[in-house]
């Protein structure tokens, strides 16, 4: 197959991609090459485009941007288009035509309706190949977690048998043919995602690198240099280089950011460690102070308990003293009240001298009691 490493990096059917083995001439039924494509009448309809693509058998389509944009959509051809693609796809066991068609569509662009019709017909081609049997709903799925992936297609291509592809002899499906099928199937899937699902070049390159651009590194620098120096399309290599250059730049930036964040975290850790030590010291001081306060509280509780006991005793004594004092005061006042009563009686009967004596005795006794009570109160006036 010829190499067409344009912006999409997709290879067509003839020959010299160094990452893929040479394909034997007897692999599967191949439509005849009808001569110089540049002299052939340009396809004017979608049906003619599909017929032309399958006649080219996976070679790079010799089309211009004007050819694609001049294509006419004819609703009456829709069923004929489907039937034609289904019939022609059955004669394309290595799935060579879809990636060639999709790469031209991606390179040249198209009207929205034309692109939609071509993509629908490519789905028919997918559905007509055993490799995608039972996977068409997942091919058309747009939810990322449900989509058919390049890894799954790559794995299926590694295990499909020659009989499943409709080939009669195992020799018709060599390792080189399997590698070609694997490359075509994954490339077609990835181009389909770019064109229909708006995948970025980053997604395309990462999937292709993970699945079909997976040739091990050459052990010799000479061979590596020779391989790269003789590559036919340096633009394709440049696109891949720019992608990984961007990835490397982002990686370096993320690494620098991670290092900066690590240093910041280290500084925070050191600060936190110092703060932790200070807080631990403060905590020890607080615990010591708390223990001291607890000891004082226990001491005060003990003293309070003693004081409460003492107050109970004192209260009992005070009650006794009060009762004794009360009894004594009542007794003495009662006596003086009797003297004053006698003095009042004598005064009423004209015995002034007797009355004065009774009053004088009562006042003397009351004064003495007052003095005694003051002395009991600590001499407070």
């Amino acid at each position: 197959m010829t190499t067409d490493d344009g912006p999409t990096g997709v290879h067509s059917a003839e020959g010299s991609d160094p990452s893929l083995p040479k394909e034997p001439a007897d692999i599967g039924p191949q439509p005849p090459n009808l001569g110089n494509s540049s002299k052939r009448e340009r396809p004017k309809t979608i049906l003619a485009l599909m017929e032309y693509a399958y006649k080219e058998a996976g070679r790079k389509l010799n089309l211009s941007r004007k050819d694609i944009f001049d294509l006419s959509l004819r609703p009456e051809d829709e069923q004929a288009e489907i039937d034609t693609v289904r019939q022609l796809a059955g004669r394309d066991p290595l799935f060579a035509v879809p990636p060639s068609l999709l790469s031209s569509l991606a390179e040249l662009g198209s009207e929205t309706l034309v692109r939609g019709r071509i993509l629908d017909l490519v789905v028919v081609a997918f559905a007509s190949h055993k490799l995608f049997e039972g996977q068409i709903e997942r091919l058309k799925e747009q939810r990322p977690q449900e989509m058919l992936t390049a890894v799954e297609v790559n794995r299926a291509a590694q295990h499909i048998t020659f009989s499943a592809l409709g080939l009669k002899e195992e020799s018709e499906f060599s390792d080189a043919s399997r590698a070609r099928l694997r490359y075509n199937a994954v490339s077609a899937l990835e181009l389909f995602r770019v064109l229909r699902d708006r995948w970025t070049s980053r997604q395309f390159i990462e999937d292709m690198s993970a699945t079909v651009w997976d040739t091990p590194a050459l052990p010799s620098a000479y061979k590596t240099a020779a391989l790269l120096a003789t590559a036919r399309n340096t633009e394709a290599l440049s696109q891949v280089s720019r992608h990984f250059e961007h990835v490397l730049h982002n990686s370096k930036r993320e690494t620098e950011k991670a290092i900066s964040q690590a240093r910041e975290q280290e500084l925070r850790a050191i600060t936190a460690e110092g703060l932790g030590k200070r807080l631990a010291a403060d905590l020890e001081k607080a615990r010591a102070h708390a223990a001291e306060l607890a000891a004082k509280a226990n001491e005060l509780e003990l003293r309070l308990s003693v004081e409460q006991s003492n107050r109970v005793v004192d209260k009992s004594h005070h009650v006794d003293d009060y009762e004794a004092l009360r009894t004594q005061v009542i007794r003495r006042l009662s006596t003086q009240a009797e003297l004053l009563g006698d003095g009042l009686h004598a005064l009423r009967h004209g015995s002034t001298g007797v009355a004065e004596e009774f009053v004088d005795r009562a006042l003397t006794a009351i004064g003495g009691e007052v003095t005694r009570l003051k002395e009991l109160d600590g001499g407070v006036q």
Side-chain angles (χ1 to χ4, degrees):
M1 296 201 307
T2 336
T3 301
D4 175 23
D5 290 330
T8 59
V10 175
H11 293 69
S12 52
E14 275 177 28
S16 62
D17 179 1
S19 67
L20 293 175
K22 299 291 184 181
E23 181 182 337
D26 61 347
I27 297 302
Q30 299 290 332
N33 186 353
L34 300 181
N36 192 336
S37 297
S38 61
K39 296 179 180 179
R40 183 180 303 147
E41 182 180 353
R42 302 295 184 182
K44 301 298 183 183
T45 65
I46 301 294
L47 178 59
L49 173 66
M50 304 309 293
E51 290 174 340
Y52 165 57
Y54 274 95
K55 284 178 181 178
E56 289 301 301
R59 287 180 288 272
K60 177 177 173 62
L61 302 184
N62 185 17
L63 296 172
S64 67
R65 182 177 175 84
K66 184 176 184 301
D67 293 331
I68 298 295
F69 276 83
D70 285 349
L71 288 173
S72 62
L73 285 175
R74 301 197 305 185
E76 64 272 18
D77 286 347
E78 185 171 346
Q79 189 57 50
E81 292 165 356
I82 294 173
D83 293 341
T84 298
V85 170
R86 187 175 290 127
Q87 178 185 7
L88 294 175
R91 301 202 297 269
D92 184 20
L94 299 187
F95 209 62
V97 174
S100 173
L101 179 62
L102 290 172
S103 64
S104 293
L105 186 63
E107 179 181 2
L108 301 174
S110 67
E111 297 286 351
T112 302
L113 293 178
V114 170
R115 182 174 68 248
R117 177 72 71 84
I118 293 174
L119 290 176
D120 287 343
L121 292 173
V122 170
V123 170
V124 174
F126 276 110
S128 301
H129 199 282
K130 281 291 184 179
L131 187 66
F132 297 93
E133 190 173 37
Q135 300 292 351
I136 300 306
E137 289 305 315
R138 293 185 62 211
L139 172 72
K140 297 187 290 184
E141 180 62 64
Q142 292 186 315
R143 291 173 296 177
Q145 64 274 18
E146 301 294 335
M147 282 182 172
L148 179 65
T149 67
V151 172
E152 292 173 302
V153 172
N154 187 56
R155 186 185 305 117
Q158 290 172 335
H159 294 92
I160 196 168
T161 63
F162 74 95
S163 58
L165 296 175
L167 302 175
K168 296 180 179 179
E169 301 292 338
E170 186 174 0
S171 59
E172 295 182 274
F173 192 49
S174 64
D175 290 343
S177 300
R178 183 182 299 279
R180 183 64 57 185
L181 171 61
R182 183 168 69 96
Y183 188 92
N184 289 338
V186 174
S187 299
L189 174 66
E190 292 298 304
L191 283 165
F192 183 78
R193 294 287 183 226
V194 170
L195 288 165
R196 193 200 68 160
D197 300 325
R198 307 289 183 181
W199 274 22
T200 63
S201 58
R202 176 187 62 80
Q203 291 171 292
F204 179 87
I205 293 174
E206 286 180 356
D207 270 5
M208 293 293 287
S209 298
T211 52
V212 295
W213 296 344
D214 58 352
T215 304
L218 294 174
S220 167
Y222 295 164
K223 292 183 179 180
T224 301
L227 179 65
L228 295 176
T230 56
R232 289 188 180 184
N233 195 325
T234 58
E235 184 180 355
L237 294 178
S238 297
Q239 293 303 311
V240 176
S241 296
R242 295 295 79 76
H243 167 75
F244 285 106
E245 188 178 80
H246 182 67
V247 170
L248 180 60
H249 174 73
N250 287 342
S251 177
K252 287 181 178 178
R253 186 173 58 188
E254 291 298 322
T255 300
E256 290 171 357
K257 182 179 178 181
I259 291 173
S260 176
Q261 289 177 341
R263 288 173 179 168
E264 183 179 348
Q265 293 299 327
E266 183 180 4
L267 180 59
R268 288 182 179 177
I270 292 172
T271 303
E273 184 179 2
L275 178 60
K277 289 180 179 179
R278 290 196 298 273
L279 291 176
D282 292 343
L283 180 60
E284 287 302 318
K285 290 180 181 178
R287 285 175 175 170
H289 185 57
E292 182 181 349
L293 292 177
K296 288 183 178 180
N298 290 335
E299 181 183 354
L300 290 175
E301 286 180 0
L302 181 59
R303 290 174 59 186
L304 178 60
S305 177
V306 172
E307 289 296 327
Q308 287 176 337
S309 299
N310 291 340
R311 295 295 75 77
V312 171
V313 174
D314 290 345
K315 181 179 179 182
S316 177
H317 291 165
H318 290 157
V319 170
D320 293 342
D321 291 345
Y322 170 75
E323 289 298 328
L325 180 61
R326 177 175 173 275
T327 301
Q328 186 178 22
V329 170
I330 290 173
R331 185 172 61 249
R332 289 187 178 181
L333 290 178
S334 297
T335 301
Q336 308 315 315
E338 291 177 359
L339 287 174
L340 290 174
D342 290 342
L344 179 62
H345 180 74
L347 183 61
R348 286 175 177 172
H349 287 81
S351 301
T352 303
V354 175
E356 288 179 354
E357 182 181 356
F358 282 139
V359 171
D360 184 57
R361 287 170 58 189
L363 288 174
T364 300
I366 290 173
E369 187 63 22
V370 170
T371 300
R372 189 180 71 82
L373 290 174
K374 287 181 178 180
E375 290 174 352
L376 288 177
D377 197 29
V380 179
Q381 300 298 324

